[in-house]
């Protein structure tokens, strides 16, 4: 990995980690990764999630987040940091790009490198991102296994919905198709966020599969949108209109389940893999 | 397995499978398992779900389901079936027991054997059921992995709820404790269906863990009940009071998520493993 190669390169004194991404830089919450044992660094390749932490902190434009960007360069200067590797998805790549521009403008010598790392596989100019092949294998296995369960029980519990990640990109949902080797195999229906979703179409799709197979296994990306590009559901949590215990519908799978039970008249259930993906 | 040993025993002419359990017997939907290839039978040990199908058909008392029980004996007689192996949980063991009683009363020579097989591990007189060790390993791994994700993101997304199977038995929820090796590890809170659940206690538990660790990972068995033994939530699906899109809360995890967001004021999310367990 990049940490091991950096240590080996001889051009870099020490590899500094920032706890929780750019937040760690802003707070000067840094530590010496190169002081960790080699086996600890090697183990990172197999460790789920980001070992040094992640964040949901998005830097805005250089003008709007001026103080933040200047703080980043100040911290880099104080520690004589000359290479900036930033791992993540689109927002992280954007941060790396902006830091690069600012450093150039300020005449601060810095090499900025974005490291693609997102399960969603939605980074421009990449064929596949690290993280995607493992999640693809995982969700395909989930579809195959839960599909068998639906098949075993199909005299009564005839519909299973598997909700997978992907607010805007359908790569993960599409990967469940790898579980499908013959018409009987799950999944029978896959809905991607890229295609406009219609409840009427869902109901007719489900009826058709039921007619043919007597059961239906559906995969839905979490970010399905209607023909106007609006999410078909939004997680309103405790902030919905109703009093305690009567919140609004949460995710896509609940919505589809309710719709199918109402309009098709069969029992449906859902598995929501969430961060287990 | 029992199929291979039965074939080998020499006492049994052929091993007959009934599609979808006792439903297959009632419908005389039978097939010759011993005619399958040995490698197909061997593969069953690693196949998720019941290869010959399962059912949710519960025979009532011998008096109430008299016609069904007599039909079972008639079908057995027609095929000269003298050994009855029935795999499953409590309801299946009950069916095997009733069929045994009826055969004895009717003077029909039959050996009935219940084969314990339930992920819930809640069969009386067994230490552990086949199915439980694998689900225990699976959910403990899920807790460990999703726990790392919560840890990586704990500056913003501080609460993850993992909903696992177990309407009445907490063995599966308890198994996630295997992921916990030090106080920082997930899960931090585990709620079992056996113990009366209180929302007030949940809120104070969550606040306490947050104060200590800054994040909280919760495991909940799907069948949590209050001090009166009532389920704290019920899956009302499309049959709730509200119009389309506004159904009642479904499962325990949604309920806990809503409660924590409202009462503790932090973002929560949930993973519901469902039939992927």
């Amino acid at each position: 990995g990049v940490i091991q190669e950096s240590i080996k390169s001889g051009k870099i004194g020490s590899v500094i980690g920032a706890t929780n991404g750019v937040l760690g830089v802003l707070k000067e919450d840094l530590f010496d990764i190169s002081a960790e044992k080699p086996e600890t660094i090697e183990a990172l390749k197999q460790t789920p999630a980001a070992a040094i932490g992640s964040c949901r902190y998005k830097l805005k434009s250089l003008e709007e987040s001026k103080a933040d960007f200047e703080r980043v360069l100040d911290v880099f200067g104080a520690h004589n940091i000359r290479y900036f590797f930033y791992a993540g998805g689109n927002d992280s790549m954007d941060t790396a790009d902006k830091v690069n521009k600012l450093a150039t403008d300020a005449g601060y010598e810095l090499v900025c490198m974005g490291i693609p790392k997102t399960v969603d596989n939605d980074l421009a100019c990449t064929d596949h991102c690290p993280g995607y092949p493992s999640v693809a294998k995982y969700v395909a296995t989930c579809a195959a296994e839960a599909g068998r369960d639906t098949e075993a029980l199909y005299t009564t519990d005839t519909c299973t919905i598997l909700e997978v990640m992907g607010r805007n990109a359908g790569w993960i949902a599409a990967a469940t198709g790898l579980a499908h080797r013959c018409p009987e195999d799950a999944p029978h229906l896959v809905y991607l966020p890229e295609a406009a979703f219609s409840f009427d179409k869902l109901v007719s799709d489900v009826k058709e599969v039921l007619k043919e197979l007597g059961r239906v296994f559906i995969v839905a990306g979490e970010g399905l949108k209607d023909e106007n590009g609006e999410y078909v559901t939004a997680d309103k949590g405790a902030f919905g209109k109703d009093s305690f215990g009567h919140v609004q519908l949460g995710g896509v799978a609940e919505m589809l389940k309710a719709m199918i039970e109402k309009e098709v008249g069969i029992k449906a259930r859902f598995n929501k893999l969430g961060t287990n993906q």
Side-chain angles (χ1 to χ4, degrees), chain A residues 146-173:
Chain A
R148 288 279 171 241
D149 193 274
T150 313
E151 194 180 334
L153 273 169
Y154 88 98
T155 52
T156 48
D157 300 338
T158 37
C159 177
T160 304
I161 301 153
L162 182 69
E163 181 182 316
V164 301
M165 281 189 183
R167 288 242 147 222
N168 301 302
W171 286 100
I172 297 179

Side-chain angles (χ1 to χ4, degrees), chain A residues 18 26 61 71 78 82 85 91-93 97 101 109 118 120 139-141 176 197 202-203 221 237 257 269:
Chain A
L26 294 173
S61 70
R71 169 80 179 145
R82 299 292 169 177
F85 298 103
D91 285 346
S92 306
M93 298 304 106
D97 184 48
K101 277 185 187 138
E109 200 185 323
T118 169
D120 290 331
V139 296
T141 308
T176 60
F197 179 80
L202 168 78
V203 169
K257 169 190 155 77
R269 63 186 157 182

Side-chain angles (χ1 to χ4, degrees), chain A residues 98-173:
Chain A
K98 283 176 180 155
V99 169
N100 181 52
K101 277 185 187 138
L102 186 69
T104 307
D105 290 351
Y108 182 87
E109 200 185 323
L110 185 71
V111 175
C112 290
M113 185 76 78
I115 304 179
K117 183 85 181 66
T118 169
V119 293
D120 290 331
N121 205 37
D122 60 349
L123 275 175
C125 313
T126 59
D127 176 67
H128 68 270
C129 297
Y132 178 62
S134 61
V135 81
K137 184 182 171 193
Y138 181 77
V139 296
T141 308
C142 285
E145 293 185 346
R148 288 279 171 241
D149 193 274
T150 313
E151 194 180 334
L153 273 169
Y154 88 98
T155 52
T156 48
D157 300 338
T158 37
C159 177
T160 304
I161 301 153
L162 182 69
E163 181 182 316
V164 301
M165 281 189 183
R167 288 242 147 222
N168 301 302
W171 286 100
I172 297 179

Side-chain angles (χ1 to χ4, degrees), chain A:
Chain A
V2 68
I3 300 171
Q4 292 159 321
E5 292 302 318
S6 299
I7 294 170
K8 273 202 292 189
S9 74
K11 291 184 187 167
I12 290 171
S14 58
V15 179
I16 305 296
T19 309
N20 295 115
V22 76
L23 273 186
V25 179
L26 294 173
K27 292 179 187 167
E28 211 168 345
D29 186 0
L30 309 173
F31 66 99
D32 187 354
I33 293 184
S34 32
E36 300 291 326
K37 289 185 211 147
E39 54 266 38
T40 304
I41 295 172
E42 179 64 25
L44 292 180
K45 294 177 187 170
Q46 308 294 334
T47 309
I52 64 172
S54 181
C55 68
R56 288 274 165 87
Y57 191 80
K58 186 175 158 73
L59 294 172
K60 293 182 189 140
S61 70
L62 288 174
E63 292 71 36
E64 286 173 286
S65 295
K66 199 159 187 284
D68 276 352
F69 281 107
E70 285 174 353
R71 169 80 179 145
V72 168
L73 279 201
D74 284 349
V75 172
F76 283 180
H79 295 268
N80 191 30
I81 287 166
R82 299 292 169 177
Y83 296 87
F84 176 46
F85 298 103
Y86 205 53
N90 285 305
D91 285 346
S92 306
M93 298 304 106
D94 183 59
T95 298
D97 184 48
K98 283 176 180 155
V99 169
N100 181 52
K101 277 185 187 138
L102 186 69
T104 307
D105 290 351
Y108 182 87
E109 200 185 323
L110 185 71
V111 175
C112 290
M113 185 76 78
I115 304 179
K117 183 85 181 66
T118 169
V119 293
D120 290 331
N121 205 37
D122 60 349
L123 275 175
C125 313
T126 59
D127 176 67
H128 68 270
C129 297
Y132 178 62
S134 61
V135 81
K137 184 182 171 193
Y138 181 77
V139 296
T141 308
C142 285
E145 293 185 346
R148 288 279 171 241
D149 193 274
T150 313
E151 194 180 334
L153 273 169
Y154 88 98
T155 52
T156 48
D157 300 338
T158 37
C159 177
T160 304
I161 301 153
L162 182 69
E163 181 182 316
V164 301
M165 281 189 183
R167 288 242 147 222
N168 301 302
W171 286 100
I172 297 179
T176 60
L178 296 168
H180 191 95
R181 292 164 302 178
C182 67
E184 288 76 23
D185 277 350
H188 308 115
L189 298 170
V190 178
Y191 297 100
L192 309 177
E194 287 89 343
F197 179 80
S198 141
F199 279 110
D200 291 343
K201 179 77 165 53
L202 168 78
V203 169
S204 70
D205 287 350
V206 167
K207 284 181 177 166
E208 202 173 306
V209 176
L210 282 176
K211 213 167 131 187
E212 208 159 315
L213 300 174
R215 66 184 184 278
V216 59
F217 192 98
I218 300 168
V219 172
E222 63 187 346
L224 296 183
K225 297 174 200 77
D226 63 22
E227 67 267 26
N228 302 319
E230 306 276 342
Y231 286 116
V232 298
T233 176
D235 177 1
K236 300 219 178 57
F239 309 103
K241 284 176 219 161
D242 293 354
S243 56
F244 163 64
H246 296 225
V247 303
Q248 308 287 91
L249 262 181
V252 156
E254 291 100 309
M255 179 73 104
L256 266 53
K257 169 190 155 77
M259 191 67 192
I260 289 167
E261 292 194 334
K262 191 175 174 192
E263 298 296 325
V264 186
I266 57 169
K267 180 170 161 32
R269 63 186 157 182
F270 69 93
N271 303 348
K272 180 183 161 79
L273 298 177
T275 55
N276 278 109
Q277 291 166 86

